[in-house]
Amino acid sequence: MEQGAPCKKTRMSNKIWNYKAQDSVNTDLLFPGKYTYSCSTAEQIRPHLLEDLDPTFSANVQTGDLLVVGSNFGCGSSREQPVLGLKAVGIEAIVGKSFARIFYRAAINQGLLLVECPAAVDAFEEGDELAVDARNGEVQISKAGQADPLVFRFPPLPPEVLAIREAGGLLKHCVQTLRARRAGQ
C-alpha cells in the first residue's frame, strides 16, 4: 500500500482494525498536526483520530477494539494526542511488527498496551479473531474452521509496565503509589 493512502474496509465484526499493510504510519496520520494546538482533550481529539489514514475510524471505533499494524507504527513527532486519543476511545491493544520508540514510551505513559509480535501480524488475516494476554506474553489468533487458535509468544511485559497499564497510565500509577506510601506511614 502506498504511504499516506487511506486504508479501506478495516473495521471487522470481531473488532479488529487491520492496518498491517502500511509501514511507518506516522503520528500525523494518527492525529493531524494541524489540530495540535486546538485539541487537547480526549473529546476534542476523537473526531480527528486516524482521519487521514482511515476516515471511518473515529465514527466506528468501540471500546475493546484492537489494532493490527505494520512496522515502525507511530513514527514522527512526539505529540501525545494520538496515544491519548487511542486510549480514550478504548483501544484494548495494538499488535504490531514494531513501534517507534517515542510512540512506545507515550503509550506506556497513557496505559495503552502495545505488543511487538511480527509473526502474529504476518499470520493475521481479515476475518480472524485475535486475543492478547499481556501478563503471559501471548497473542492468539483464531481462524475460521480451525479448532485451536494459533499462539504467538512475545516477552511478557515487566510488572512495572503492567502496573502502569492497570492503573490507567503513569500519572495515575504515581498517584496510587504515593497514596499507598502515605497510608503505610
Side-chain angles (χ1 to χ4, degrees):
M1 176 175 283
E2 186 178 318
Q3 187 167 352
C7 293
K8 296 177 184 163
K9 195 180 172 215
T10 52
R11 177 76 165 89
M12 302 300 296
S13 61
N14 54 359
K15 299 185 173 204
I16 299 169
W17 295 82
N18 181 6
Y19 302 111
K20 76 176 197 171
Q22 186 170 359
D23 290 335
S24 298
V25 171
N26 65 45
T27 52
D28 281 331
L29 289 174
L30 300 175
F31 179 78
K34 64 185 175 186
Y35 301 116
T36 297
Y37 301 107
S38 61
C39 299
S40 58
T41 66
E43 294 78 28
Q44 294 169 330
I45 293 168
R46 181 187 176 120
H48 305 293
L49 276 175
L50 281 67
E51 75 179 21
D52 291 335
L53 177 67
D54 181 351
T56 69
F57 182 82
S58 67
N60 295 299
V61 65
Q62 297 176 15
T63 298
D65 284 3
L66 300 159
L67 274 66
V68 175
V69 301
S71 298
N72 200 30
F73 187 82
C75 60
S77 74
S78 61
R79 290 180 288 114
E80 289 210 9
Q81 286 103 330
V83 174
L84 176 63
L86 291 168
K87 176 67 176 171
V89 297
I91 293 298
E92 181 68 25
I94 303 176
V95 178
K97 288 186 176 186
S98 67
F99 297 94
R101 179 185 53 82
I102 199 158
F103 184 83
Y104 192 87
R105 184 65 231 179
I108 291 172
N109 290 345
Q110 293 297 327
L112 177 63
L113 178 61
L114 301 185
V115 173
E116 283 192 9
C117 193
V121 173
D122 288 339
F124 178 81
E125 297 173 335
E126 295 286 344
D128 291 348
E129 293 182 16
L130 187 139
V132 176
D133 182 345
R135 196 164 300 283
N136 294 314
E138 288 185 356
V139 174
Q140 294 185 3
I141 298 177
S142 298
K143 294 189 171 284
Q146 291 184 0
D148 295 323
L150 301 173
V151 178
F152 301 90
R153 302 208 184 285
F154 61 92
L157 299 175
E160 298 83 6
V161 173
L162 289 172
I164 291 169
R165 180 175 182 264
E166 289 166 6
L170 182 60
L171 185 58
K172 290 179 182 178
H173 175 67
C174 289
V175 168
Q176 287 178 359
T177 301
L178 292 172
R179 284 187 179 152
R181 284 184 187 165
R182 268 195 202 156
Q185 292 179 348

